[in-house]
Amino acid sequence: MDSLLASARSRLTRVTAREAFEEAARGAVLVDTRNAGQRAADGVIPGALVVERNHLEWRFDPEGDARLPQATGYDARVIVLCDEGYASSLAAASLLDLGLVRATDMIGGFQAWRAEGLPVED
């Protein structure tokens, strides 16, 4: 699994929680892939789009029938986050495979966001 993660990350220009916060303020789509239990326990990031991991590719394929309005094209800036920044790397690499050339993930995930003191809602 370590080699799979390393391979995924080698393709990404990952961002810190602070950078993700700043990019979201400029229009990047911040996507929270944590499950409902994690969100209930730890809270959510205001303005983040919740798309659980098993739906991500379906929702962000710009040509798919199940796409979200935020799936505006293959150049959309999508920043994926999970709880600690592992699964999000694999998810972001999957979005790259789908053709979303500006997809990436957030280093450290939600826990890094919280540790940075960035906004969280219950």
Side-chain angles (χ1 to χ4, degrees):
M1 189 60 176
D2 289 342
S3 64
L4 183 62
L5 183 61
S7 176
R9 287 181 173 170
S10 74
R11 300 169 51 209
L12 301 169
T13 302
R14 303 177 77 213
V15 297
T16 65
R18 177 68 56 188
E19 290 167 333
F21 175 76
E22 292 167 359
E23 285 199 47
R26 293 191 305 269
V29 180
L30 192 57
V31 180
D32 187 345
T33 62
R34 294 175 303 142
N35 65 47
Q38 289 171 315
R39 294 190 312 271
D42 289 337
V44 296
I45 296 171
L49 181 63
V50 174
V51 180
E52 289 193 18
R53 175 63 189 99
N54 58 332
H55 296 178
L56 188 67
E57 292 83 358
W58 301 107
R59 298 300 192 188
F60 275 92
D61 180 354
E63 296 179 16
D65 293 337
R67 74 181 170 276
L68 293 168
Q70 293 84 349
T72 57
Y74 291 104
D75 64 343
R77 179 61 163 169
V78 177
I79 303 171
V80 182
L81 70 103
C82 62
D83 194 49
E84 294 183 343
Y86 295 97
S88 60
S89 294
L90 300 175
S94 181
L95 291 180
L96 287 177
D97 291 341
L98 190 63
L100 278 80
V101 297
R102 297 178 61 220
T104 194
D105 80 318
M106 187 171 73
I107 300 165
F110 180 84
Q111 297 308 321
W113 181 279
R114 172 179 275 167
E116 188 73 22
L118 296 168
V120 174
E121 294 176 348
D122 292 331

